[in-house]
């Protein structure tokens, strides 16, 4: 779609599903390829990569493959990649963590997918933290 669209900004985010990947190095390698492809299509584009949003405490404690610890580790790798690729990193994870370091229960009825209210907060974050 980007090849057929004029754009000046690209917002990229891979979600909690990617926190299950058993090979974080391969994940980052593929993520970098996507950034390179976007820049091939528009070298002048401003690229924003977004941190993976945490999950609720219930999800993190009850699903071994989706934990906030694994999300935090991937977010660290995404930040390093963003610095290496010279793209912007948006730290949505820290924005949405509560005082316990998890997504608040009221933010997502299933513990993963945020409610409309929180999605609107996400949109506002993008509006206020990007150029």
């Amino acid at each position: 779609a980007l090849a057929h669209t004029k754009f000046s900004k690209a917002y990229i985010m891979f979600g909690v599903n990617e926190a299950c990947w058993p090979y974080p190095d391969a994940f980052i390698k593929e993520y970098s390829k996507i950034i390179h492809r976007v820049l091939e299509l528009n070298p002048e584009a401003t690229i924003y990569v977004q941190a993976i949003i945490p999950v609720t405490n219930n999800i993190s404690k009850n699903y071994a493959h989706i934990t906030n610890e694994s999300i935090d580790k991937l977010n660290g790798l995404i930040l390093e990649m963003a610095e290496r690729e010279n793209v912007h990193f948006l730290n949505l994870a820290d924005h949405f963590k509560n005082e316990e370091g998890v997504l608040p229960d009221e933010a997502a009825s299933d513990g993963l997918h945020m409610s409309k209210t929180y999605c609107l907060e996400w949109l506002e974050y993008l509006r206020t933290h990007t150029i």
Side-chain angles (χ1 to χ4, degrees), residues 90-92 95 121-130:
L90 300 173
N91 196 346
L92 290 164
H95 177 77
E121 185 177 332
W122 182 357
L123 179 60
E124 186 61 23
Y125 180 95
L126 294 178
R127 285 184 180 145
T128 59
H129 289 79
T130 60

Side-chain angles (χ1 to χ4, degrees), residues 12 22 40-41 49 63 96 104 106 109 126 130:
I12 304 171
E40 283 176 21
L41 295 169
V49 295
Y63 294 87
F96 283 108
E106 70 274 7
S109 62
L126 294 178
T130 60

Side-chain angles (χ1 to χ4, degrees), residues 17-121:
N17 293 332
E18 287 72 29
C20 304
W21 280 36
Y23 308 105
D25 292 339
F27 168 76
I28 293 300
K29 182 178 178 182
E30 294 303 315
Y31 208 142
S32 291
K33 285 181 184 178
I34 291 168
I35 292 170
H36 294 168
R37 180 65 179 135
V38 170
L39 289 172
E40 283 176 21
L41 295 169
N42 184 348
E44 302 300 316
T46 302
I47 297 178
Y48 299 96
V49 295
Q50 301 172 64
I52 300 170
I53 294 171
V55 295
T56 62
N57 195 41
N58 183 51
I59 295 293
S60 189
K61 285 187 174 186
N62 293 307
Y63 294 87
H65 60 286
I66 304 174
T67 67
N68 283 314
E69 182 178 316
S70 63
I71 290 170
D72 287 343
K73 287 179 184 176
L74 268 184
N75 281 337
L77 294 174
I78 294 169
L79 172 60
E80 289 174 7
M81 177 204 63
E83 291 171 347
R84 192 171 49 252
E85 299 294 344
N86 200 29
V87 298
H88 301 278
F89 177 78
L90 300 173
N91 196 346
L92 290 164
D94 283 354
H95 177 77
F96 283 108
K97 286 180 181 177
N98 64 15
E99 60 280 348
E100 297 172 26
V102 301
L103 185 68
D105 288 337
E106 70 274 7
S109 62
D110 64 357
L112 296 169
H113 303 96
M114 292 196 306
S115 68
K116 179 180 178 181
T117 300
Y118 277 78
C119 285
L120 291 172
E121 185 177 332

